[in-house]
Amino acid sequence: KSKEHYAYEEGFMDYPVFNVFGHDVVESVIITDSYAAIDTGCVYGRLPKSDVMYLSALAWPSKRIYSVSYQG
């Protein structure tokens, strides 16, 4: 999302935390040094413009990703 969408504080990418989040569907899990976006759209049955259907989880502290196929 753009900066206009959220009120980010200056320097937020330098915070000494690792943030794991969903709610914004991504085609595949994104992992950076400071965050992991793990919402792959399973609640919707599939990703927009895709037939991919799976639930993703992140193991901590290894940052290993686990995915299972949609069973619905």
Side-chain angles (χ1 to χ4, degrees):
K1 300 291 180 179
S2 67
K3 201 167 190 174
E4 303 86 49
H5 210 71
Y6 299 105
Y8 292 125
E9 295 177 21
E10 186 176 333
F12 76 97
M13 291 297 289
D14 297 323
Y15 291 168
V17 297
F18 188 80
N19 185 14
V20 180
F21 62 90
H23 193 66
D24 288 329
V25 177
V26 293
E27 190 169 330
S28 61
V29 173
I30 299 170
I31 299 179
T32 72
D33 290 338
S34 59
Y35 70 85
I38 65 169
D39 189 342
T40 48
C42 188
V43 69
Y44 304 113
R46 65 178 182 79
L47 285 168
K49 302 179 184 176
S50 173
D51 291 330
V52 176
M53 296 181 267
Y54 60 97
L55 176 68
S56 299
L58 177 90
W60 185 259
S62 69
K63 298 183 186 174
R64 181 175 175 188
I65 299 298
Y66 293 90
S67 296
V68 294
S69 297
Y70 175 71
Q71 303 294 312

